[in-house]
């Protein structure tokens, strides 16, 4: 069964005659009649009753007509979608990112999208596996590790790793804290699988500082909640919660920073569109966090 033949059937059904349908589909009447009979033979049922030289839909034809119309509509939609893909446009986009990035960066960015932007779907990914998500259906991956060279990418932001304390903490009137001072406090840190913890551990090693007490937290919100309860200083890259006071952490090489990257497959049919969207996300980060977070490269 060919789409063209279904189109002939629908044209005859909608116009009420072979002659009128022949004008619509631009074929001769005999050729159109042959195509209709061939379709009936393929389906094993008469779609029209023939009386007095006129065609009328049979009971089976009336029931088959909406199915044929639906197939043609779907085929037309598929053709339009293919043209859109060929032009590099996206109807939908899947973004993979770690939980903190989804909450603090991606979700607020999605709230700025317009009606002409692709419909987004977001998926939470392990920070170490975000780029692998591009092989499993994601269009755009956001991560804190530099992307492999095979991917197209852009640096989005360079964000602080914060030490959060309560408003009544002894450091409440500071803007920053040195590592050697932080080491005297109970540190509510993420587990070593998280990038902020890796940055903290490397900075302490380079500074020759050994923390006194470290409490591992598997979730950054939990770390901040414990800080709000007065259990120590939460070291995370999240936006502040629970009324906590943020402190930049200063190590041997300056303030601790975490980088954010966007990456996509260079062979993606909408690679140019993805690059434009990543550029918008980069500008959004600057608008949200200030010019200091803009990557230098």
């Amino acid at each position: 069964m060919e789409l063209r033949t279904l189109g002939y059937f629908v044209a005859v059904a909608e116009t009420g005659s072979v002659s009128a349908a022949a004008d619509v589909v631009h074929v001769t009447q005999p050729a159109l009649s042959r195509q209709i009979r061939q379709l009936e033979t393929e389906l094993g049922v008469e779609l029209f009753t023939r009386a007095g030289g006129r065609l009328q839909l049979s009971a089976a034809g009336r029931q088959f007509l909406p199915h044929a119309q639906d197939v043609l509509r779907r085929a037309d939609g598929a053709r339009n979608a293919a043209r859109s893909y060929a032009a590099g446009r996206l109807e939908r986009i899947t973004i993979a990112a770690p939980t903190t990035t989804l909450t603090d960066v991606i979700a607020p960015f999605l709230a700025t999208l317009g009606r002409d932007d692709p419909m987004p779907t977001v998926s939470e990914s392990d920070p170490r596996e975000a780029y692998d998500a591009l092989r499993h259906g994601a269009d755009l991956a956001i991560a804190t590790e530099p992307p492999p060279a095979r991917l197209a990418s852009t640096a989005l932001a360079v964000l602080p790793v914060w030490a959060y304390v309560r408003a009544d903490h002894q450091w409440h009137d500071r803007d920053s804290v040195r590592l050697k001072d932080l080491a005297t406090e109970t540190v509510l840190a993420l587990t070593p699988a998280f990038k902020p913890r890796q940055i903290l551990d490397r900075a302490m090693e380079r500074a020759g500082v050994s923390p006194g007490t470290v409490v591992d937290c598997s979730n950054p919100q939990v770390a901040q909640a414990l800080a709000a309860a007065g259990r120590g200083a939460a070291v995370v890259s999240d936006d502040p919660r629970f009324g906590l006071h943020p402190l930049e952490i200063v190590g041997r090489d300056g303030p601790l920073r975490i980088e954010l990257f966007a990456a996509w497959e260079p062979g993606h049919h909408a690679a140019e569109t993805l690059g434009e969207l990543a550029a918008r996300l980069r500008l959004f980060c600057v608008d949200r966090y200030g010019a200091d977070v803009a990557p230098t490269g």
Side-chain angles (χ1 to χ4, degrees):
M1 188 188 308
E2 296 183 0
L3 291 173
R4 180 182 58 187
T5 309
L6 285 180
Y8 293 161
F9 162 68
V10 170
V12 173
E14 291 179 346
T15 60
S17 72
V18 172
S19 60
D23 291 336
V24 170
V25 297
H26 307 294
V27 298
T28 64
Q29 292 185 39
L32 183 55
S33 295
R34 285 196 300 272
Q35 291 292 329
I36 295 299
R37 289 190 179 280
Q38 181 179 337
L39 178 62
E40 290 176 320
T41 300
E42 291 179 1
L43 295 175
V45 64
E46 286 192 350
L47 298 174
F48 295 96
T49 58
R50 295 161 174 83
R54 293 184 58 82
L55 296 182
Q56 291 185 329
L57 283 171
S58 66
R62 287 193 297 272
Q63 294 188 47
F64 181 66
L65 177 60
H67 295 290
Q69 292 168 325
D70 180 59
V71 169
L72 293 174
R73 279 193 298 269
R74 289 173 181 269
D76 190 52
R79 280 191 290 266
N80 289 335
R83 294 190 196 101
S84 177
Y85 303 152
R89 292 190 292 270
L90 277 173
E91 294 180 351
R92 298 178 179 274
I93 182 172
T94 298
I95 303 172
T99 302
T100 295
T101 307
L102 286 177
T103 302
D104 292 343
V105 178
I106 302 303
F109 172 68
L110 296 182
T112 70
L113 296 183
R115 290 185 176 274
D116 293 334
D117 288 313
M119 174 63 74
T121 299
V122 296
S123 62
E124 181 180 343
S125 64
D126 185 289
R128 297 162 297 183
E129 300 174 357
Y131 299 129
D132 288 339
L134 295 174
R135 293 193 178 99
H136 304 287
D139 300 295
L140 190 66
I142 313 298
T144 55
E145 294 287 346
R150 67 176 183 82
L151 296 177
S153 64
T154 187
L156 296 176
V158 182
L159 301 169
V161 176
W162 299 107
Y164 285 115
V165 296
R166 283 174 29 146
D168 60 357
H169 192 277
Q170 61 177 331
W171 301 335
H172 74 279
D173 57 348
R174 298 188 189 182
D175 294 325
S176 62
V177 60
R178 300 195 67 83
L179 275 177
K180 64 179 182 179
D181 294 329
L182 182 63
T184 66
E185 176 66 86
T186 297
V187 176
L188 307 166
L190 299 175
T191 61
F194 288 84
K195 190 69 173 182
R197 173 63 179 276
Q198 297 167 15
I199 293 171
L200 176 66
D201 288 347
R202 283 199 299 268
M204 285 192 164
E205 182 180 356
R206 283 185 57 78
V209 173
S210 298
T213 302
V214 177
V215 177
D216 285 347
C217 302
S218 60
N219 181 283
Q221 287 81 18
V222 170
Q224 289 202 50
L226 293 176
R231 299 300 182 93
V235 177
V236 295
S237 60
D238 293 46
D239 291 347
R241 291 172 172 80
F242 313 118
L244 294 175
H245 175 66
L247 299 163
E248 280 196 330
I249 304 171
V250 181
R252 175 180 172 181
D253 303 314
L256 272 57
R257 294 286 186 264
I258 184 169
E259 296 179 278
L260 200 61
F261 302 91
W264 58 96
E265 294 286 354
H268 194 290
H269 77 274
E272 184 176 349
T273 301
L274 292 171
E276 292 170 354
L277 198 64
R280 286 169 56 186
L281 182 55
R282 174 174 173 154
L283 291 175
F284 174 81
C285 289
V286 172
D287 289 341
R288 183 173 176 83
Y289 296 109
D292 290 345
V293 309
T296 56

